[in-house]
């Protein structure tokens, strides 16, 4: 990895933390919405509850880093609160597979997003990079869990997946700034 030199652009780690915290918050809310619909007893609900617990740990870690580094959270938290929950609830109402298709789509975008951040960070913030790398691995496990549960066999999968992925990309772009 090349070292930072005067004139190079420094990665904006405050913005990175802001968008990551927003994303983990959104993920936790999606799973909360799904569990509100599915209850806690079905096998799918069991898997979702396990993933939700990991999202909560990701969220707690970014909350702690933001407090430590005095980074303000996104002003859009109330929107992600309801939008995340609604996305989770609606997909779970469609079917358990649709709920998994939602996870598949969201984690695909989060993986891409974390990969971009790791490239941008290089070796400039090892503390943050370590967390991102660890969380990225767990997001990929979530995606694999969703695929193993039949996400791709959901009725209307290509359209549903494309719509959710587009929504994630918009949410990521906005949360970097606002
Ligand atoms: Fe996460
Ligand atoms: Fe996840």
């Amino acid at each position: 990895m090349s070292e930072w030199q005067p004139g190079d652009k420094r990665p904006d780690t405050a913005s990175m933390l802001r968008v990551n915290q927003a994303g983990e918050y959104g993920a936790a809310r999606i799973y909360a919405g799904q569990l509100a619909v599915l209850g806690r007893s079905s096998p799918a609900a069991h898997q979702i509850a396990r993933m939700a617990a990991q999202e909560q740990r990701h969220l707690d870690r970014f909350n702690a880093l933001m407090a430590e580094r005095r980074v303000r959270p996104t002003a859009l938290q109330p929107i992600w609160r309801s939008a995340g929950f609604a996305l989770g609830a609606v997909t779970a109402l469609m079917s358990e597979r649709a709920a998994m298709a939602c996870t598949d789509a969201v984690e695909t975008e989060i993986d891409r997003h974390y990969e971009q951040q790791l490239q941008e960070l290089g070796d400039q913030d090892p503390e943050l990079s370590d967390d991102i790398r660890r969380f990225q691995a767990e997001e990929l496990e979530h995606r694999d869990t969703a695929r193993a549960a039949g996400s791709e066999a959901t009725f209307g999968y290509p359209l549903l997946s494309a719509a959710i992925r587009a929504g994630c990309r918009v949410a990521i772009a906005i949360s970097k700034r606002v």
Side-chain angles (χ1 to χ4, degrees):
M1 206 64 70
S2 61
E3 260 178 61
W4 182 84
Q5 297 185 336
D8 288 354
K9 198 171 146 259
R10 280 202 189 271
D12 182 353
T13 53
S15 157
M16 287 184 182
L17 271 176
R18 183 172 305 122
V19 62
N20 293 359
Q21 192 263 2
E24 297 296 349
Y25 180 69
R29 293 297 294 163
I30 290 171
Y31 290 134
Q34 293 181 341
L35 290 171
V37 170
L38 297 176
R40 296 218 166 229
S41 51
S42 74
H46 215 82
Q47 288 176 316
I48 291 168
R50 198 182 51 80
M51 297 191 283
Q54 282 179 321
E55 303 302 356
Q56 189 59 48
R57 282 204 295 277
H58 301 171
L59 178 59
D60 290 345
R61 176 59 183 154
F62 285 133
N63 278 335
L65 276 176
M66 284 175 93
E68 237 171 65
R69 300 181 181 194
R70 304 192 184 287
V71 175
R72 68 160 177 84
T74 172
L76 299 174
Q77 193 105 337
I79 294 183
W80 302 150
R81 180 177 170 77
S82 18
F85 190 90
L87 177 60
V90 166
T91 50
L93 281 169
M94 291 167 70
S95 68
E96 286 189 358
R97 274 191 175 153
M100 290 299 180
C102 173
T103 293
D104 184 340
V106 170
E107 301 296 13
T108 299
E109 286 306 318
I110 294 186
D111 170 53
R112 231 173 62 118
H113 165 72
Y114 281 160
E115 189 56 42
Q116 272 172 11
Q117 283 194 344
L118 288 171
Q119 298 297 327
E120 215 180 307
L121 281 169
D123 52 8
Q124 295 193 48
D125 191 336
E127 187 188 34
L128 182 57
S129 290
D130 277 2
D131 286 327
I132 293 173
R133 210 170 285 116
R134 226 160 4 96
F135 298 165
Q136 183 188 30
E138 291 183 347
E139 311 303 6
L140 284 174
E141 280 173 31
H142 298 172
R143 192 186 68 183
D144 292 345
T145 299
R147 292 203 177 152
S151 63
E152 291 160 308
T154 310
F155 178 78
Y157 174 79
L159 187 64
L160 181 66
S161 171
I164 294 173
R165 289 182 60 174
C168 287
R169 281 199 287 258
V170 170
I172 288 170
I174 296 174
S175 299
K176 283 179 188 170
R177 293 177 189 86
V178 185

Short mmCIF file of all heavy atoms in Angstrom, two decimals, residues 24 55 58 139, ligand 1:
data_model
loop_
_atom_site.label_atom_id
_atom_site.label_comp_id
_atom_site.label_asym_id
_atom_site.label_seq_id
_atom_site.Cartn_x
_atom_site.Cartn_y
_atom_site.Cartn_z
N GLU A 24 -25.75 0.42 9.17
CA GLU A 24 -25.95 -0.64 10.17
C GLU A 24 -27.26 -0.41 10.92
O GLU A 24 -27.96 -1.36 11.27
CB GLU A 24 -24.77 -0.68 11.15
CG GLU A 24 -23.43 -1.04 10.51
CD GLU A 24 -23.39 -2.45 9.92
OE1 GLU A 24 -24.31 -3.24 10.18
OE2 GLU A 24 -22.43 -2.76 9.20
N GLU A 55 -25.86 -7.38 13.39
CA GLU A 55 -26.01 -5.98 12.96
C GLU A 55 -25.96 -5.05 14.17
O GLU A 55 -25.40 -3.97 14.11
CB GLU A 55 -27.34 -5.76 12.23
CG GLU A 55 -27.59 -6.61 11.01
CD GLU A 55 -26.54 -6.47 9.93
OE1 GLU A 55 -25.61 -5.65 10.05
OE2 GLU A 55 -26.63 -7.22 8.95
N HIS A 58 -22.44 -4.47 15.04
CA HIS A 58 -21.81 -3.54 14.09
C HIS A 58 -22.21 -2.11 14.44
O HIS A 58 -21.40 -1.19 14.47
CB HIS A 58 -22.25 -3.82 12.64
CG HIS A 58 -21.93 -5.21 12.17
ND1 HIS A 58 -22.40 -5.70 10.96
CD2 HIS A 58 -21.18 -6.21 12.72
CE1 HIS A 58 -21.95 -6.95 10.81
NE2 HIS A 58 -21.21 -7.27 11.86
N GLU A 139 -21.25 -9.62 6.73
CA GLU A 139 -22.31 -9.26 5.76
C GLU A 139 -22.35 -10.31 4.65
O GLU A 139 -23.43 -10.69 4.18
CB GLU A 139 -22.08 -7.88 5.15
CG GLU A 139 -21.80 -6.73 6.11
CD GLU A 139 -22.84 -6.46 7.18
OE1 GLU A 139 -23.81 -7.23 7.30
OE2 GLU A 139 -22.67 -5.46 7.91
FE1 LIG B 1 -23.88 -5.04 9.46
#
